[in-house]
Amino acid sequence: MSTATQSSQDQRISPNLTENTDYCKKVMGNSKDLMIRPLQCLHKWPSVMLYIDGMVDVQIVNHSILEPLLQTRELPDFSAENEHLSYLQNDVLVASSVILIDEIKDILDALLAGFAVVLLEGSNQGLKIAAAGWEDRAVGEPISQTVVRGPMEGFNENLRTNTGLIRKRIRDPHLWIEEREIGRVSNTRVAVVYLEHIVDQEVVKELRRRLDEIDIDAILESGYIEELVQDKTGTIFPTVYNSERPDTVCAALLEGRVAIIIDGTPFVLLVPALFVHFFQSPEDYYQRADISSLIRMIRYLAFFIALLAPSFYIAITTFHQEMLPTNLLISLAAQREGVPFPAFIEAILMELTYEILREAGIRIPKTVGQAVSIVGTLVIGQAAVDAGVVSAAMVIIVSITAISSYVIPENGLSISVRILRFVLMILAAAFGFYGILMVLLITVTHLCSLRSFGVSYMSPFAPYIGKDLKDTIFRVPWARMKTRPLSTGTANETRQADKKTKR
Amino acid sequence: MNKCLQLILSFAVLLPLLTGCWDRQELNELGIMLGLGVDKDGDMIKVSAQVVVPNEVSSKSGGGKGTPVTQYQASAPTLFEAIQKLTESSPRRIFMAHIRILVYGEEYARKVGIYDVTEALMREPTVRPDYYVMVARNTTASKVLDVMTPLENLPAEKMFNSLDVSTKTWSPTTTVTGDQLMEYILSPGIQPVITGVEVVGNPEKSGHQENIATIKAPARLNSTGLSVFRGDKLIGWLTEDESKGYNYIRNNVVSTISHLPCRKDGYVTFKALRTTTKRSAKVVAGHPVININMKNVSSIGAVECGIKIGSMEVLKELERDSEERLVELMQKSVKSVQRKFHVDIFGFGQEVYHADPKFFKKVEKDWDQYLEDLDVDYKVNVQIKRVGTLDDSFKDQIRE
């Protein structure tokens, strides 16, 4: 609510039309997109229709509002003044939602939300008529989380479309959607979605509390909410999951998690988020369990490679040469001949080059992207080795590290890995394996101390919950997924009735 | 949060104190020593280090201009002084963790003894004790480490591998690693034995690239025979047959080839597939007796005479002959060691110690005298499991 309207809070709509329109014009600073259309309602009552151009569907305005309002018809007798509006609301207007409003502030709110407002001369009420219709991206394939097998639908920027996509998948009245507006200026609609009979009510209560505490001018993306509601700010690990896939969100809802949909972004937040969630790809559940389990394990392996490969290389080649087989050592030594930098500088150089290339690859316009990727591969690849600036082994290490970091399905965790990788490299260069061990110890301790909405981040490993292990490092076949994860504190454990499904 | 910060800070302060070993070395600051040779140089010890030249080994960066390894030498009163002194001539620090072979010059092994070096290398934490130990027969370690070898271009690696392969497939050699050697020196009732290595052919240009420029290398390295030690000093060499006998008794034989004279003329060749030997001892009325129980599974490799290999009787006969030959082989080996060297390289004392520790403690001091007329019982069981892809030999069917 802007300062101008704050003074006129609780101010009723004036019976004088010009007063109202002047007020709206003044508050909105004569913005050109505020449309004021005077008309004679049913050729009898002087009135005015207001809407904001670009936020309403002109078709709706023409056919559902203007056409009925401008017809001539037999009118019944009216006793009270306000019956004019009720008559319009009940008998004339054909729009889906027509609501009476009393206050002048409601006019502005309604206009800015894409309603058309009709005011009658002599009435201290108004009508807001749903006519919202702005350009939206169509529901398309999710870009950041792709699968080979599985639904190809992704969320878009419209909150209503997004809740629809979820409703479409879970046709159950227990799917509750709470909406609120956050952001003093932006008034962004934020929806909290959960399955009432499965979710842990404490989590919902806590989430409500945290959302209500937010006092910020605008929410433009779910990242704002993510940072504002997470448990601990001093961590590099993500404690809120995000997804642009409706199927992922539905699966999470069914496991007793809560989704936060923010208007204007296709990325939906999911809480609580645990460490194991970041290794789960929706495809794991669509493919057969055996291959899913294998890929899960490879994902965990890739996580450790992405985290440790450069620091291990540094530690082994500068401190623990005796650990390598003789022939490998000689081969590595041969590659390092003539390289002017210590292994650490070499590794940092290559990792930085890679990070720069990666960042450039994202920012660069698509038309010149080709050129950069060619230069990039040449820089980190052949030319650097041929020029003797870096050793071939280092190129292999950096490449495998880079590729491995993309195996983690959710981007949030691979960002933590990238940060931690540099810390590990520095400590490995200073203390060898001892340094690596120190960082890992501190990291594990830190991970165990983290919580996401009261749920231990490392569960079901620590605290150990045996029943939940069925969907962690491996995924058991669906026939064996009898219970929902207990770590999220679900009130409804049973996923499948306990009868034999084996044939 | 504040607590976390404190924790990290205290770690940061404590970490440097805890490390103890700041020993960062880049790979290209290391001279990787693969072979270490020890010789006598007057009163001093002469160390020859075979160091890899990485540039020459790699297939990519040039190569072929020089030799894949180089040798540095230095003399000093003790081993480590000498090794450190190598840096006088070497541009890089000598890195000892990857020693593949340790070669003692024969003179050094005979006169000075191998204890000093063994002790030093076992004490040194950076050295892995899995190197093979060899004795340069009739020559110096420095010369042995100065031979270019074909096929395996790192000579030390060649020696390591060829000893490894020949031990697994040919019975007269055996491998002794650094830690085994120490065990043999220390354990009561056994004396060490080390395989010898010699330079055969013309050693004139052995260390030159030319040595591998011809199909038949002029100078070659051969691992031959076993050297016998008393304590830490070399006292003599076993012949090939004696070495075989030794390895059979010590259960070192994995597979090997042997022959047996035929009843008529020519030989029958045996391939040993599996051989296991168990030694045990018994002390009967203050008199130790050693039992050697050997099981051998063989197949027939070749038959040069026209015997009917397909019949069971002939096979049984061959088994019996083979058993006799193996007993003879071991007997000869034991006899000659008893007669010539008077040291217990077979570990018979160990067996007696296991059987009757009190008795062995009593006789430990003059065990070598007991050894001289020790009764050894041989029991050999040979089974011929296969005869190859031919049945009877076709010698009789050859048309004149």
Side-chain angles (χ1 to χ4, degrees), chain A residues 54-364:
Chain A
M55 295 194 70
V56 295
D57 187 339
V58 182
Q59 291 292 322
I60 299 177
V61 172
N62 288 345
H63 295 297
S64 314
I65 304 172
L66 285 179
E67 236 171 64
L69 284 181
L70 290 175
Q71 60 187 295
T72 338
R73 57 156 78 190
E74 289 285 304
L75 289 177
D77 291 329
F78 294 112
S79 49
E81 189 69 4
N82 279 350
E83 272 180 57
H84 293 297
L85 278 177
S86 317
Y87 180 73
L88 289 180
Q89 182 186 17
N90 296 332
D91 294 33
V92 179
L93 288 165
V94 290
S96 61
S97 155
V98 183
I99 298 162
L100 279 169
I101 48 174
D102 298 319
E103 282 158 29
I104 202 148
K105 144 178 166 288
D106 292 339
I107 298 179
L108 283 165
D109 287 352
L111 287 176
L112 293 169
F115 287 86
V117 174
V118 172
L119 301 173
L120 277 189
E121 175 76 44
S123 166
N124 58 355
Q125 275 188 311
L127 281 177
K128 66 171 185 182
I129 305 147
W134 49 75
E135 288 304 312
D136 259 325
R137 196 168 56 97
V139 171
E141 209 176 320
I143 296 153
S144 67
Q145 291 154 328
T146 50
V147 292
V148 176
R149 179 178 172 179
M152 302 296 175
E153 265 180 345
F155 288 123
N156 69 2
E157 283 75 8
N158 188 329
L159 180 119
R160 201 41 77 215
T161 316
N162 293 349
T163 53
L165 285 172
I166 295 173
R167 281 259 188 235
K168 212 168 82 181
R169 284 177 174 74
I170 305 177
R171 300 180 184 178
D172 191 312
H174 288 106
L175 180 73
W176 286 11
I177 300 176
E178 286 176 18
E179 260 184 57
R180 70 195 65 220
E181 285 184 0
I182 302 178
R184 272 184 284 113
V185 176
S186 70
N187 287 313
T188 310
R189 285 192 295 166
V190 173
V192 175
V193 183
Y194 53 89
L195 277 164
E196 185 263 336
H197 61 316
I198 293 173
V199 79
D200 180 11
Q201 290 297 340
E202 289 303 310
V203 173
V204 182
K205 216 183 280 174
E206 178 62 23
L207 178 61
R208 267 186 223 130
R209 196 181 61 75
R210 289 187 195 175
L211 286 175
D212 290 339
E213 270 177 11
I214 295 175
D215 177 32
I216 194 170
D217 56 349
I219 302 286
L220 296 182
E221 215 277 336
S222 51
Y224 289 45
I225 300 274
E226 175 175 345
E227 280 188 28
L228 289 167
V229 299
Q230 67 185 355
D231 290 51
K232 200 175 186 176
T233 44
T235 177
I236 56 167
F237 289 95
T239 51
V240 176
Y241 192 88
N242 70 66
S243 174
E244 56 167 329
R245 300 184 57 86
D247 51 329
T248 307
V249 172
C250 289
L253 292 176
L254 287 164
E255 288 186 349
R257 283 185 262 160
V258 185
I260 309 165
I261 310 177
I262 289 96
D263 197 26
T265 175
F267 288 94
V268 172
L269 302 180
L270 289 168
V271 291
L274 309 182
F275 188 70
V276 291
H277 292 158
F278 293 90
F279 291 94
Q280 296 170 348
S281 155
E283 205 164 3
D284 292 355
Y285 304 94
Y286 310 146
Q287 280 173 336
R288 293 166 49 85
D290 38 19
I291 185 68
S292 301
S293 301
L294 178 69
I295 289 173
R296 276 278 172 84
M297 286 174 214
I298 289 173
R299 242 176 249 153
Y300 277 92
L301 179 74
F303 169 76
F304 284 107
I305 291 175
L307 189 65
L308 293 171
S311 46
F312 251 65
Y313 180 78
I314 293 171
I316 287 185
T317 55
T318 53
F319 285 95
H320 314 283
Q321 295 94 347
E322 65 278 2
M323 288 186 66
L324 289 173
T326 308
N327 288 330
L328 182 59
L329 178 78
I330 293 169
S331 147
L332 287 181
Q335 289 175 30
R336 271 202 60 79
E337 281 305 307
V339 175
F341 306 112
F344 170 63
I345 302 291
E346 199 186 338
I348 285 282
L349 213 68
M350 289 305 284
E351 284 290 340
L352 280 180
T353 315
Y354 166 68
E355 291 293 336
I356 291 168
L357 274 172
R358 188 195 128 97
E359 193 59 22
I362 299 170
R363 307 283 158 244
I364 228 147

Side-chain angles (χ1 to χ4, degrees), chain A residues 317-319 321-322 324-327 329-330 332-334 336-337 339 342-343 385 427 429-431 434 438 442, chain B residues 15 18-19 22-28 30 32 34 52 54-55 58 60 92 95 97-98 100 128 154 157:
Chain A
T317 55
T318 53
F319 285 95
Q321 295 94 347
E322 65 278 2
L324 289 173
T326 308
N327 288 330
L329 178 78
I330 293 169
L332 287 181
R336 271 202 60 79
E337 281 305 307
V339 175
V385 177
L427 267 286
F431 305 113
Y434 177 72
M438 273 300 140
I442 295 171
Chain B
L15 273 172
L18 287 169
T19 56
W22 178 272
D23 50 1
R24 195 177 73 88
Q25 296 164 318
E26 292 296 333
L27 280 184
N28 43 5
L30 295 179
I32 302 162
L34 290 187
V52 188
N55 256 345
S58 88
K60 205 168 149 243
R92 294 180 184 184
F95 181 63
H98 281 276
R100 302 314 311 269
R128 288 202 294 215
L154 301 170
E157 198 71 16

Side-chain angles (χ1 to χ4, degrees), chain B residues 273-336:
Chain B
L273 303 173
R274 286 188 295 281
T275 311
T276 43
T277 313
K278 285 199 179 104
R279 302 176 301 278
S280 60
K282 228 191 264 168
V283 181
V284 184
H287 193 73
V289 179
I290 305 292
N291 283 311
I292 288 174
N293 200 335
M294 175 168 162
K295 274 196 186 120
N296 175 297
V297 178
S298 293
S299 74
I300 304 284
V303 183
E304 292 177 9
C305 49
I307 52 172
K308 290 230 174 286
I309 207 80
S311 82
M312 279 313 278
E313 288 86 64
V314 174
L315 283 182
K316 286 269 180 271
E317 217 167 85
L318 279 174
E319 282 177 359
R320 261 197 308 284
D321 288 355
S322 172
E323 280 164 14
E324 269 168 36
R325 205 196 85 88
L326 284 171
V327 169
E328 197 186 328
L329 199 68
M330 292 191 279
Q331 230 163 11
K332 249 166 71 184
S333 178
V334 172
K335 284 266 162 61
S336 81

